[in-house]
């Protein structure tokens, strides 16, 4: 092996080849510093004296199925110009780690296509080594996102663990990238984000979110000029939750066995959009039977379908008329659940209709949440929450096949 091979094969500059040792599945190349290339790592002066060496071994990219290592006696020098005593710069490796920069780049490239465990097994290192390589790379690229151009954002929380453990995620609606991940799901989860926005002097125009009082208060306080857009996905989801509760109460209160039998198992049919009901499985017939036997349930169901029309109008004014009409019908229905929900919509009317000013929703964030769930399944959980948050920041780079 020649010194030129060190340069062309491993990008090592300023070193001489000494010898090669073969041991089982590993190849070890012993190298040494070129005396003529040594200089002070502080002032770059060549007026130096030798102050001893420290023997180090660095893992490099494999050759075939063989692990490759470099043995080097790292030189320490004393500078006659600036007086410092330091180990010389290595160039090919960070002196804090036991592997080369080429190995680090190779591990990161493999990580685009393999899990951490797979990369670690392939390179014959521990899980923690690959995880730390990824974490440093992600920290360098995503710990300080560029926020000055933020104009439209979406805010939502995601569940990351059983026991009600949540993270709050902020999405840049223009670029489709996560720009912030905070702990918890309350207003305090966004405290750090507001400080970053203020430092960046970002001029955020619109915020898509659910009707969480905590988020409303936080956005109103820190972004008084921004338009709040209540996400229609969350509005419908909230109504669906109320509809499921109504069906459950009606089933519990029903005295007629036939009525109980018809109501049982209709929850998912009530939540489905009419066009998605499968006639071949008798879903439409079952739903019609349940609605015919129970007037309050039928009223709530048809109002659910009418509520969707608020977001399909040609103008904001027509949407306002549809919403106001819906609220009146719900208030006069005599059904407690509908009257209470109508009161909520009346209070949040401005944010609902703001959709026609800024046609944004947190739907892209829901897609991101699915990617995050897939990432969790692939990793079998994350022991390091900061690492997990960085992985979320980089989720737009990931390519996952989403399986339900």
């Amino acid at each position: 092996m020649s010194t030129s091979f060190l340069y062309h094969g491993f990008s090592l500059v300023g070193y001489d080849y000494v010898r090669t040792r073969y041991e089982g599945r590993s190849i070890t190349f012993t190298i040494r510093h070129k005396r003529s290339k040594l200089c002070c790592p502080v002032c770059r002066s060549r007026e130096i004296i030798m102050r001893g060496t420290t023997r180090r071994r660095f893992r490099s990219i494999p050759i075939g199925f063989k692990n490759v290592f470099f043995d080097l006696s790292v030189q320490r020098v004393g500078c006659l110009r600036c007086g410092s005593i330091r180990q010389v710069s290595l160039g090919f490796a960070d002196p804090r780690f036991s592997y080369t920069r080429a190995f680090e780049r190779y591990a990161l490239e493999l990580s685009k296509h393999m899990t951490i465990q797979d990369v670690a097994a392939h390179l014959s290192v521990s899980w923690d080594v690959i995880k730390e390589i990824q974490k440093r790379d992600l920290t360098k690229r995503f710990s300080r996102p560029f926020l000055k151009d933020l104009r439209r954002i979406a805010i939502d929380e995601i569940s990351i663990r059983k026991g009600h453990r949540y993270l709050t995620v902020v999405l840049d609606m223009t670029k489709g990238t996560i720009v912030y991940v905070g702990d918890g799901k309350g207003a305090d989860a966004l405290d750090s984000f507001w400080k970053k926005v203020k430092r960046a002097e970002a001029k955020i125009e619109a915020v898509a979110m659910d009707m969480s009082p905590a988020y409303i208060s936080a956005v109103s306080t820190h972004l008084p000029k921004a338009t709040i857009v209540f996400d229609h996905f969350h509005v419908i989801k909230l109504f669906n939750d109320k509809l499921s509760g109504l069906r459950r109460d009606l089933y519990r209160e029903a005295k007629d066995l036939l009525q109980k039998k018809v109501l049982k198992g209709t929850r998912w049919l009530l939540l489905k959009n009419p066009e998605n009901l499968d006639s071949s499985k008798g879903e439409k017939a079952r739903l019609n039977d349940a609605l015919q036997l129970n007037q309050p349930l039928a009223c709530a169901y048809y109002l659910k379908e009418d509520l969707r029309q608020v977001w399909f109008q040609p103008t904001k004014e027509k949407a306002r008329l549809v919403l106001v009409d819906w609220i009146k019908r719900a208030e006069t229905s005599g059904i407690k659940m509908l009257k209470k929900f109508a009161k909520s919509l009346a209070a949040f009317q401005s944010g609902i209709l703001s959709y026609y000013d800024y046609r944004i929703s947190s739907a892209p964030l829901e897609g991101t949440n699915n990617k995050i769930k897939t990432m969790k399944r692939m990793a079998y959980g994350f022991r390091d929450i900061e690492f997990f948050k960085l992985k979320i920041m980089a989720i737009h780079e990931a390519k996952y096949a989403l399986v339900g």
Side-chain angles (χ1 to χ4, degrees):
M1 177 176 173
S2 66
T3 299
S4 63
F5 184 68
L6 291 177
Y7 171 71
H8 292 290
F10 296 96
S11 300
L12 268 66
V13 179
Y15 299 90
D16 287 321
Y17 166 73
V18 179
R19 62 178 175 271
T20 303
R21 187 168 69 254
Y22 301 96
E23 296 175 319
R25 290 188 57 192
S26 69
I27 304 172
T28 302
F29 299 117
T30 301
I31 59 177
R32 66 185 173 207
H33 295 283
K34 282 186 177 181
R35 177 66 179 83
S36 61
K37 298 291 185 181
L38 293 177
C39 65
C40 172
V42 178
C43 68
R44 312 305 295 173
S45 171
R46 294 191 182 277
E47 298 177 31
I48 55 175
I49 56 175
M50 305 304 159
R51 286 299 187 92
T53 60
T54 300
R55 189 175 179 83
R56 295 285 306 277
R57 167 174 280 202
F58 300 92
R59 181 185 289 271
S60 189
I61 55 178
I63 297 177
F65 293 104
K66 299 286 187 178
N67 297 316
V68 174
F69 298 89
F70 286 107
D71 277 353
L72 171 67
S73 294
V74 181
Q75 185 68 54
R76 187 169 65 165
V77 298
C79 182
L80 299 176
R81 178 179 294 177
C82 69
S84 63
I85 300 175
R86 300 279 193 280
Q87 284 189 347
V88 297
S89 301
L90 298 180
F92 69 91
D94 187 315
R96 296 173 298 170
F97 309 122
S98 60
Y99 42 80
T100 66
R101 289 191 171 93
F103 178 86
E104 188 170 357
R105 289 193 299 270
Y106 183 52
L108 288 172
E109 192 62 33
L110 290 177
S111 296
K112 295 178 182 178
H113 312 283
M114 303 162 65
T115 65
I116 293 177
Q117 190 62 52
D118 290 337
V119 176
H122 176 68
L123 297 177
S124 301
V125 295
S126 71
W127 186 94
D128 293 288
V129 168
I130 303 302
K131 175 253 189 175
E132 286 302 321
I133 288 175
Q134 286 192 17
K135 187 175 182 179
R136 280 197 307 277
D137 175 65
L138 293 171
T139 300
K140 187 189 305 180
R141 296 191 294 128
F142 295 106
S143 62
R144 294 185 176 182
F146 184 74
L147 302 179
K148 188 174 179 62
D149 293 339
L150 273 186
R151 294 295 179 268
R152 302 178 183 187
I153 62 174
I155 301 174
D156 199 6
E157 74 271 0
I158 57 170
S159 174
I160 60 169
R161 195 174 298 162
K162 290 181 179 178
H164 303 289
R165 181 70 187 272
Y166 293 90
L167 292 176
T168 293
V169 178
V170 179
L171 177 76
D172 180 345
M173 301 294 293
T174 304
K175 297 180 180 177
T177 58
I178 301 293
V179 293
Y180 177 79
V181 182
D183 294 308
K185 64 172 183 175
D188 55 347
L190 291 164
D191 287 347
S192 180
F193 176 67
W194 304 131
K195 292 176 183 177
K196 292 179 180 180
V197 167
K198 186 176 181 180
R199 283 197 299 268
E201 298 181 347
K203 295 178 174 57
I204 299 175
E205 301 170 348
V207 183
M209 60 184 187
D210 61 22
M211 295 184 289
S212 162
Y215 288 162
I216 295 171
S217 175
V219 172
S220 299
T221 300
H222 296 279
L223 300 175
K225 294 183 180 180
T227 299
I228 294 176
V229 181
F230 292 127
D231 178 57
H232 64 271
F233 172 85
H234 283 97
V235 175
I236 297 299
K237 181 178 182 296
L238 183 60
F239 187 84
N240 281 338
D241 292 340
K242 302 294 184 184
L243 183 60
S244 294
L246 176 64
R247 184 205 64 86
R248 190 166 51 249
D249 292 341
L250 291 172
Y251 176 82
R252 188 170 54 248
E253 295 168 3
K255 300 281 194 294
D256 192 307
L257 290 178
L258 175 61
Q259 193 174 34
K260 276 184 174 290
K261 183 179 179 181
V262 172
L263 283 173
K264 188 174 183 180
T266 58
R267 180 191 174 197
W268 297 115
L269 301 182
L270 290 166
L271 301 185
K272 273 189 174 183
N273 293 333
E275 62 271 18
N276 295 331
L277 291 171
D278 191 341
S279 299
S280 63
K281 295 180 180 179
E283 291 182 346
K284 283 187 176 181
R286 287 179 58 202
L287 178 60
N288 287 333
D289 289 343
L291 296 178
Q292 287 174 8
L293 281 174
N294 199 295
Q295 185 59 36
L297 188 64
C299 179
Y301 176 78
Y302 291 123
L303 277 174
K304 184 199 83 164
E305 295 310 307
D306 290 344
L307 182 60
R308 294 170 59 203
Q309 300 308 310
V310 172
W311 291 274
F312 293 97
Q313 301 305 309
T315 66
K316 183 176 181 178
E317 181 56 28
K318 288 190 177 181
R320 188 188 68 80
L321 294 175
V322 171
L323 180 58
V324 169
D325 178 65
W326 192 96
I327 292 171
K328 288 180 179 177
R329 289 161 59 199
E331 287 174 339
T332 58
S333 67
I335 301 170
K336 185 178 178 181
M337 181 276 285
L338 289 176
K339 293 167 68 175
K340 189 174 181 180
F341 195 79
K343 187 176 180 181
S344 297
L345 290 193
F348 296 126
Q349 186 176 158
S350 176
I352 292 171
L353 296 175
S354 291
Y355 173 76
Y356 286 87
D357 299 318
Y358 296 92
R359 291 180 180 267
I360 58 175
S361 75
S362 59
L365 205 46
E366 293 299 321
T368 299
N369 287 349
N370 288 333
K371 278 191 174 184
I372 293 170
K373 291 173 185 176
T374 303
M375 182 173 67
K376 282 197 301 181
R377 288 199 296 269
M378 290 176 67
Y380 300 102
F382 282 85
R383 292 173 281 179
D384 183 341
I385 189 63
E386 291 306 315
F387 176 54
F388 183 44
K389 287 159 72 173
L390 287 167
K391 293 286 281 184
I392 292 174
M393 296 281 283
I395 199 76
H396 62 280
E397 296 181 343
K399 295 182 176 69
Y400 295 121
L402 301 179
V403 290

